[in-house]
Amino acid sequence: MDSAASAIAVTGLRKSFGDQVVLDGIDLDVPAGTTFALLGPNGAGKTTAVRILSTLIRADGGQARIAGHDLAAEPDAVRAAIGVTGQFSAVDDLLTGEENLVLMADLHHLGRAEGRRRVTGLLARFDLTGASAKLASTYSGGMRRRLDLAMTLVGDPRVIFLDEPTTGLDPRSRRTMWQIIRELVAGGVTIFLTTQYLDEADELADRIAVLDRGGIMAAGTAKELKRSVPGGHVRLQFRDAADLDAAAQAFGEGRRDEETVALQVPGDGGVRALRAVLDRLEDAGIEPEELSVHTPDLDDVFFALTGHSTTAKETAR
């Protein structure tokens, strides 16, 4: 693990609550300027990992470096380099949107002029200027999440922990949040995202890790994880039953669908596997009317690794 090139480098992180092991020696590596998604069912330890890495609680063992600083030896330096947006909004309902941001600027000891400049810029960036004088209690769910993230950005963090940031948002607000996250990463910020929404991880994350039963079950890009589980296939549809019979004989494997005159040939969806299918069709002198590649999605990956889908509810700790 090259910690010098990593915004977050974790080795052997452990945490237990009583006799319940939540994190059992996990390793993580998040390159700077990327989005990393930590997936897991309820109670898997995602929030515990975020709380440890953001200095809110101590680990029982292991090492971590955040933005180049040792988590145990330099907690103040880590806090100065990070921002955290949790599952539940930190917005103060008794203050206006602007007052919430000004409060954060004061907490970061920004000068009056610099604080005003940053607050004005963030209100505009998050499309909150028109509502800046309204109490936060009147904000919609999407507006509150945007304000919450804007408050996180007042300190200009290099690493941001987003713990299930779009939970409860409508589809439009979720996509707005996604665009904001993409813009942050494009500007060089590193995002550590926990989520139960697989499409969110698929859309945003450069790398994904699946956490369950205290350990990292698998890690990689979305494409790598999808190819790691069975279920991928190439679907070949033919003009008539004669071509289907010839194809079934040529491949010697696959699932026939007589009603649609189609054959499903197992494959991982990669270029090499697809080329092999095309070569075999050409050798047999068969030309399908349609060809489509089907690969498992992240829900298939999650189920294969954990034995249940992300919507499964577990007993809360």
Side-chain angles (χ1 to χ4, degrees):
M1 181 182 300
D2 184 5
S3 60
S6 302
I8 303 171
V10 176
T11 305
L13 197 65
R14 293 186 290 105
K15 184 65 179 178
S16 298
F17 294 96
D19 59 358
Q20 181 180 5
V21 178
V22 180
L23 301 175
D24 191 15
I26 68 171
D27 299 334
L28 299 172
D29 182 30
V30 183
T34 66
T35 299
F36 174 85
L38 185 63
L39 302 181
N42 288 342
K46 303 186 301 296
T47 297
T48 298
V50 168
R51 293 181 70 194
I52 290 173
L53 298 178
S54 58
T55 76
L56 294 177
I57 61 175
R58 290 182 176 273
D60 296 334
Q63 297 177 323
R65 294 187 69 83
I66 314 294
H69 302 289
D70 185 270
L71 182 65
E74 307 170 90
D76 289 340
V78 171
R79 294 185 192 109
I82 68 172
V84 183
T85 298
Q87 294 182 34
F88 305 103
S89 175
V91 172
D92 189 330
D93 284 338
L94 299 179
L95 301 179
T96 67
E98 183 175 9
E99 288 169 343
N100 270 283
L101 290 171
V102 169
L103 175 61
M104 292 303 298
D106 290 343
L107 290 173
H108 282 283
H109 305 292
L110 300 179
R112 185 176 181 84
E114 174 61 19
R116 171 57 56 187
R117 184 192 68 78
R118 197 165 299 184
V119 166
T120 300
L122 287 169
L123 287 170
R125 181 177 184 180
F126 286 85
D127 195 24
L128 292 170
T129 302
S132 63
K134 296 180 180 179
L135 290 176
S137 59
T138 67
Y139 282 17
S140 67
M143 292 172 66
R144 290 177 64 85
R145 296 307 278 172
R146 296 204 307 274
L147 177 59
D148 200 14
L149 185 52
M151 291 166 63
T152 298
L153 293 180
V154 168
D156 198 22
R158 287 178 285 159
V159 178
I160 298 178
F161 293 93
L162 299 179
D163 191 13
E164 302 194 20
T166 62
T167 297
L169 295 187
D170 61 82
R172 182 177 179 181
S173 296
R174 286 183 69 210
R175 292 194 173 275
T176 298
M177 187 64 73
W178 290 359
Q179 185 57 36
I180 291 170
I181 292 170
R182 292 189 184 100
E183 291 170 358
L184 288 171
V185 174
V189 174
T190 303
I191 300 291
F192 186 106
L193 171 73
T194 73
T195 182
Q196 292 190 59
Y197 297 127
L198 299 179
D199 59 334
E200 187 160 89
D202 213 349
E203 283 279 341
L204 298 175
D206 298 288
R207 289 185 64 80
I208 298 168
V210 179
L211 176 66
D212 193 34
R213 296 184 289 275
I216 300 296
M217 310 300 289
T221 66
K223 186 175 294 186
E224 289 169 347
L225 292 177
K226 291 173 186 177
R227 288 181 177 174
S228 69
V229 301
H233 63 271
V234 178
R235 185 177 185 274
L236 306 169
Q237 188 166 357
F238 301 96
R239 284 184 296 270
D240 51 42
D243 281 352
L244 175 59
D245 290 340
Q249 184 174 358
F251 285 98
E253 61 178 343
R255 189 172 69 185
R256 295 172 59 124
D257 187 334
E258 305 292 348
E259 185 175 346
T260 60
V261 198
L263 181 69
Q264 290 185 7
V265 180
D268 63 5
V271 173
R272 183 177 299 177
L274 181 58
R275 185 181 294 118
V277 169
L278 295 174
D279 288 344
R280 190 170 297 189
L281 287 170
E282 185 175 0
D283 291 342
I286 308 168
E287 184 173 341
E289 282 197 322
E290 292 184 15
L291 181 151
S292 56
V293 178
H294 298 261
T295 57
D297 59 22
L298 282 180
D299 199 43
D300 296 321
V301 173
F302 198 92
F303 188 84
L305 293 172
T306 69
H308 46 70
S309 71
T310 53
T311 57
K313 301 297 183 183
E314 293 187 350
T315 303
R317 184 171 61 244

